[in-house]
Amino acid sequence: MKELICITCPKGCHLKVDEKTFAVTGNACPRGAVYGENELRNPVRVLTSTVAVLGSGAQRLPVKTDRPIPKGKLFAAMDELNKLRISAPVHVGDVLLPHIAGTDSNLVATKTLL
């Protein structure tokens, strides 16, 4: 039995998930059951970080993936992100790195930089 804390809402239910059947208990809403099962079958996360901006000294541009990526690919995605250098102009939502770490997710800007 795997114990998790649900992060889909502020309630933070303490879930217990059977590692063989993926049956979830302890959830107060249906989202907790989905979260618990997915967390054991295929855990995913949205990656948020910053990238370097060329010619700006220490300025960094906030970025995130446009959809969750498998948790096991986070380090590969960060390796790609750390090599990235951006130059202005950049607008919110601009795709800076498509298919990051071989996933269907794109790295996008979350701030406009002119």
Side-chain angles (χ1 to χ4, degrees):
M1 196 63 74
K2 180 83 170 175
E3 294 186 18
L4 304 169
I5 296 177
C6 184
I7 60 171
T8 58
C9 75
K11 207 172 208 181
C13 295
H14 290 260
L15 308 178
K16 290 186 180 179
V17 185
D18 185 291
E19 295 173 89
K20 292 179 182 163
T21 65
F22 301 105
V24 179
T25 58
N27 55 303
C29 69
R31 292 184 300 172
V34 172
Y35 171 79
E37 181 178 345
N38 288 342
E39 191 63 16
L40 261 61
R41 287 185 189 263
N42 182 31
V44 294
R45 299 289 185 272
V46 171
L47 174 64
T48 59
S49 189
T50 60
V51 296
V53 178
L54 290 173
S56 69
Q59 187 174 7
R60 312 259 320 158
L61 178 71
V63 295
K64 71 177 193 97
T65 54
D66 61 358
R67 62 183 62 109
I69 63 174
K71 197 173 171 184
K73 294 206 173 201
L74 287 174
F75 286 109
M78 282 302 296
D79 287 343
E80 290 181 25
L81 188 145
N82 286 332
K83 296 173 188 168
L84 190 60
R85 302 293 180 262
I86 301 300
S87 56
V90 177
H91 297 91
V92 171
D94 283 356
V95 174
L96 305 176
L97 191 58
H99 306 291
I100 191 164
T103 67
D104 289 336
S105 185
N106 303 310
L107 188 71
V108 297
T110 60
K111 181 179 177 182
T112 296
L113 180 67
L114 300 174

